Amino acid sequence: MSVSKKEFSLEVEHLEEVKKLIRKIISKKDIDITEYKKSIVNSKRFLWEQKNEMYDKDLYAAMDEEDFNVSILNKDIVKVYKLHRSLECPYFSRIDFFSNDEVESFYIGLTGVDRDYEPVVYDWRASVANLYYNYGLGKAHFETPEGRVNGEVVLRRQFDIKMGEMKSIFDATSGIRDEYLESVLSENTSEAMKNIVGTIQREQNDVIRYPINKNLVVEGTSGSGKTSVALHRIAYILYNNKELSNKNVLVFSPSEEFSAYISNVLPELGEDNVPSATFRDLVEKTLGVASFSLQEEAMSFYEGKSVDVKSAQHKLSLAYKREIDDYLDSLYDRLKFTKKFGLKTSFISSARLNEIKDSIPRSLGFADRIERLSEKICAEFRIDEVKNARKLEKFIRKNLGISEDPLKLYEDFSGNHFDKIPYPDTVAMMYLHFEVNGYPDYSNIREVVIDEAQDYVPWQFELFRKIFRSASYTILGDKNQVINPYHRYTSLEDIAKIFEGEYLILNKAYRSSKEIVLFANDLIKENSVEAVRSESGNRVVEKQTSSIADIEEETKRLVEKGYNKIGIIVKTKSEKEKFDFLNHDNVSVSLVYEAKGLEYDACIVYTDKENYYRENEIGLLYIAVTRALHEVVIYNQIK
């Protein structure tokens, strides 16, 4: 519901006051930063000149203090950057809350703004913002350090502010739906994913604000905003845990293209981007070998190339893991001390050495057993474990003939030679290498986000837990968007059990029009997905053609309708090559595997007539169709 002219005018006045305050804060901080920079430079110069006259402990203490001062300076610089950004849209909501016989207005925005230590605009991650995200008009509460504050929401107002100018105001009664949400969702898409702080829904807010340091698995339908929600959760965690920085977070995404697409969200939220990687990046970094990606494997499978499905499924299974465990047990059992072991004037008999070896619990991993054995031998000799245990480990490994080279180690186990590691072998190779040579130290990683979780097998998740032992996990996926041809989940709750975490569902689709959502539901034979957007008037159209000119004409029609981004989504490389000439600024030709996670205003979903999506490939068609916001045209899909 729009507001009266008088209310609109009052809100415009308030907006100008807030902008004036922000400019004042920026101006003061600019002066402070300039002076602070001078002070730091002078202090560093003094330390340089006096370093030979100072005791080492005093010099180090002074250097630590300077590092601290630089960190404070950097925080001020970041704050000024955020304030400059906030001038474009200082806030997006106002909540009037009645409590203790008075009404207080809370303005909520991307960045908090204070006047004399009193909030004028609350950061969207502050507890009070839950009044906006979780409640309509009526009884509500929020948490403070002093305890819960109960009351009643008497006004929920949403603002559309662009470039510092008030465009429109909506008063809503029951959540962020109504006119404001519809207007945002009906907009065309952009080149990069955008933040959604102004339209976060209650179920999404539950994911974002789920307790930090807890494992969470989210199963979200296509267009439910799960990836965006995960990024907002990162921003929420960084805001509420000051011990963490962006370097303590790692995001696993399906592709480099997808990582680039989401790279704008955290900076928009006022946070530095966090490191991101694909699973192949992890394989190649930790093992130092070239490997094939899941996308390449899926492409080979669905293009009908020769693939040993049973072998691939077995290599990605926990049964194969048990084969490796048995292999490592046999390696350890093969270790027999046949001679006494001497160090200077001390000796341990071979019988005692074998007794020590057999006393190590078999429940430990291979590397842990070798390490424990070395430590016990050091203890027997009463020598320093720190200095000598590692040397003993190397001696034992050498006598067992175990290679530290991951490739040779896996080739010895599998009996095969590899120039480039096939995707089905990557998990086993990593596991064998780490079990034998020890797991890498990623203790600095405290939060791991894994997107497109449906394409990872359970063994991969067990491996993640061993590699990133200090981390909490936020894991997101959709069982209907799987491209992994060797494993399918009936529910991602199975993953939650691996991580002993909470399992939440997002079943509302915000991206696509109602027509597209209903068509997609029919494809996967589900009706649990709720379309939030209203009908666009564009039904999903199915056509037949072998003519490149027809696709060119269809693309031209969509461009002329004013769509910003149009996707031509195909199934095979040959089909992609056929339409590569259509690639330009707002038209993108991509394989269905490459389009995962991306979105377009309109999509042309094309296959050659003889290459239509079969029954076991409907998930790929579902992925392609649900990339579109407003319009889909499907070519050559035979029913």
Side-chain angles (χ1 to χ4, degrees), residues 135-146:
Y135 297 101
L137 298 181
K139 291 183 179 179
H141 68 266
F142 65 95
E143 304 293 337
T144 71
E146 291 74 34

Side-chain angles (χ1 to χ4, degrees), residues 69 76 89 91 120 210 236 394 419 437 457 517 534 586 594:
N69 290 337
D76 279 347
C89 179
Y91 46 81
V120 175
Y210 187 77
Y236 173 78
K394 286 188 175 182
D419 294 317
N437 295 305
V457 299
V517 172
S534 58
N586 59 344
E594 298 169 334

Side-chain angles (χ1 to χ4, degrees), residues 177 203 219-226 477-481 505-533 622 626:
R177 304 291 287 270
E203 73 275 9
E219 183 154 7
T221 188
S222 179
S224 61
K226 54 187 175 293
D478 176 7
K479 68 180 185 295
N480 293 311
Q481 294 190 65
I505 296 175
L506 299 175
N507 63 357
K508 294 178 181 177
Y510 297 93
R511 175 192 297 135
S512 303
S513 67
K514 188 172 184 178
E515 296 95 328
I516 295 171
V517 172
L518 293 177
F519 184 89
N521 283 351
D522 188 54
L523 281 178
I524 58 175
K525 297 178 173 55
E526 285 191 11
N527 58 11
S528 60
V529 179
E530 177 187 340
V532 174
R533 287 182 56 194
Y622 175 79
T626 55

Side-chain angles (χ1 to χ4, degrees), residues 431-443:
Y431 178 74
L432 178 60
H433 171 62
F434 293 148
E435 285 293 311
V436 169
N437 295 305
Y439 284 80
D441 180 11
Y442 282 111
S443 56

Side-chain angles (χ1 to χ4, degrees), residues 298-550:
M299 196 183 306
S300 296
F301 177 87
Y302 291 114
E303 289 191 359
K305 295 180 181 177
S306 179
V307 175
D308 189 336
V309 176
K310 286 188 176 180
S311 173
Q313 288 174 331
H314 180 63
K315 287 179 176 180
L316 290 165
S317 72
L318 292 173
Y320 197 53
K321 172 183 175 291
R322 288 191 288 272
E323 288 181 25
I324 293 177
D325 290 337
D326 290 343
Y327 171 75
L328 293 175
D329 282 342
S330 69
L331 271 184
Y332 188 78
D333 291 341
R334 208 169 73 199
L335 176 62
K336 298 292 182 185
F337 292 97
T338 57
K339 297 179 180 179
K340 64 182 179 180
F341 193 77
L343 190 66
K344 294 184 179 179
T345 59
S346 300
F347 293 90
I348 304 176
S349 68
S350 59
R352 176 56 183 154
L353 289 168
N354 287 316
E355 184 182 327
I356 294 171
K357 189 210 83 168
D358 294 337
S359 71
I360 309 298
R362 294 181 73 84
S363 58
L364 293 177
F366 182 86
D368 291 335
R369 274 187 269 180
I370 297 296
E371 182 181 354
R372 184 76 61 87
L373 173 59
S374 302
E375 289 171 354
K376 285 201 168 192
I377 293 174
C378 286
E380 194 84 4
F381 277 115
R382 297 182 180 179
I383 59 174
D384 190 330
E385 293 177 12
V386 176
K387 291 182 179 179
N388 297 285
R390 185 61 181 160
K391 295 176 184 177
L392 271 173
E393 283 182 49
K394 286 188 175 182
F395 174 79
I396 293 169
R397 290 171 188 277
K398 184 178 179 181
N399 277 271
L400 282 172
I402 298 173
S403 174
E404 292 188 356
D405 176 15
L407 182 59
K408 186 176 187 312
L409 186 64
Y410 188 65
E411 287 179 341
D412 288 346
F413 163 74
S414 65
N416 296 314
H417 171 72
F418 302 100
D419 294 317
K420 188 174 182 179
I421 306 303
Y423 171 76
D425 291 278
T426 54
V427 184
M429 184 175 175
M430 286 184 76
Y431 178 74
L432 178 60
H433 171 62
F434 293 148
E435 285 293 311
V436 169
N437 295 305
Y439 284 80
D441 180 11
Y442 282 111
S443 56
N444 63 307
I445 300 298
R446 302 283 299 282
E447 183 72 27
V448 172
V449 176
I450 303 174
D451 203 1
E452 303 293 345
Q454 71 278 355
D455 286 322
Y456 294 83
V457 299
W459 190 5
Q460 281 172 294
F461 288 120
E462 290 193 3
L463 197 55
F464 276 125
R465 292 202 76 179
K466 287 194 167 190
I467 296 171
F468 304 103
R469 296 182 294 278
S470 303
S472 302
Y473 290 79
T474 300
I475 299 170
L476 312 100
D478 176 7
K479 68 180 185 295
N480 293 311
Q481 294 190 65
V482 63
I483 67 169
N484 188 331
Y486 309 126
H487 187 273
R488 181 177 292 274
Y489 293 94
T490 55
S491 167
L492 300 194
E493 191 170 8
D494 294 342
I495 301 172
K497 292 174 183 175
I498 295 172
F499 286 89
E500 300 171 337
E502 184 75 15
Y503 170 68
L504 299 178
I505 296 175
L506 299 175
N507 63 357
K508 294 178 181 177
Y510 297 93
R511 175 192 297 135
S512 303
S513 67
K514 188 172 184 178
E515 296 95 328
I516 295 171
V517 172
L518 293 177
F519 184 89
N521 283 351
D522 188 54
L523 281 178
I524 58 175
K525 297 178 173 55
E526 285 191 11
N527 58 11
S528 60
V529 179
E530 177 187 340
V532 174
R533 287 182 56 194
S534 58
E535 294 183 357
S536 67
N538 299 313
R539 66 184 180 86
V540 177
V541 177
E542 297 189 71
K543 298 181 179 181
Q544 298 280 320
T545 190
S546 297
S547 168
I548 293 176
D550 285 348

